[in-house]
Amino acid sequence: MDRVSNRQTTWYLINIKARRDQTTEHYVQAFRNLYEQDPLISFPRSGKSGSLKYATFSNLLDENNTPKWIQIGLLSYTIIDPEAFYNKRSRENVTMDNWNEDIVANKKETDLYFIPSVHTLVVRCNSDISLKNIVYYLSEALNQVEPETFDVDIIIERDILDRILNAHAVTHLYANISYSNPGHTRGFEAAFDRKLREMGASRIEFTATGSKDHPLSSEYDGMLQSVVNLSEQNGYVQATIQSTENAKFEKIDSSEHPRKLVVPQIVNDICSTIYNTIRSIIH
């Protein structure tokens, strides 16, 4: 009989995509290598660094005979400089002799859950480590383990993208995207996606500018729709829109609107709940 805990949790979703060898086995091996090599990553602007505390691979296997999920413990901390201490009472610089360099300070940690079969990772919205630092760590660390191989992107809230597509007018669009996984697009969007992949670029920046009198075309299955749709899991867009005919123009940055997944209850355990939930919404 299933054990059910009516405890609601909320999660951010992160798409981790290999630029080549997009197989479940590759994703699993990449995280094995990441844990074994455990590169130290310096976070921008915070003065802190990140590394792994643990990585647990599920004993339950999926249809590819690979672990259903990987649970990862990520750490954030400050590396101590033993020659940078100061005694504020005596107003003297202090050097800590024989300092153990393995001891760090201001530790924070969070749990990450990765589903290799759909290359999607989730983290609680109330994580002690910021979403930006988590994405930065994963991008830097995975690409140290396998250089120029992985794109790591926050999955964007669909509603904010639909506001762009359904706007009365769009006068400016900037996109920073990569191509999607094969089979995830159709029509012109699929053709555009295929050309991005064939071009061989790791990231693509795209800018289109119109005017109030001559806004960008937002035809069905056109360029604007294709770029915006690709950005949902593969980057972000910035747009200037007029939502209705008489509305003021406003700027939208989709990177400020990550998708939030609400899980209403935990069935049996957190790992299997996350696995079943993610597999039901991402294919």
Side-chain angles (χ1 to χ4, degrees), residues 17-20 26 142-143 146-151:
K17 183 188 66 211
R19 297 172 189 163
R20 48 192 173 271
H26 182 200
L142 285 168
N143 284 299
E146 290 188 53
E148 299 182 2
T149 299
F150 293 96
D151 290 303

Side-chain angles (χ1 to χ4, degrees), residues 56-60 67-71 114-116 271-272 275:
T56 302
F57 294 77
S58 168
N59 291 322
L60 299 174
K68 285 188 171 184
W69 47 262
I70 305 170
Q71 184 178 1
F114 181 59
I115 312 302
C271 293
S272 60
Y275 174 82

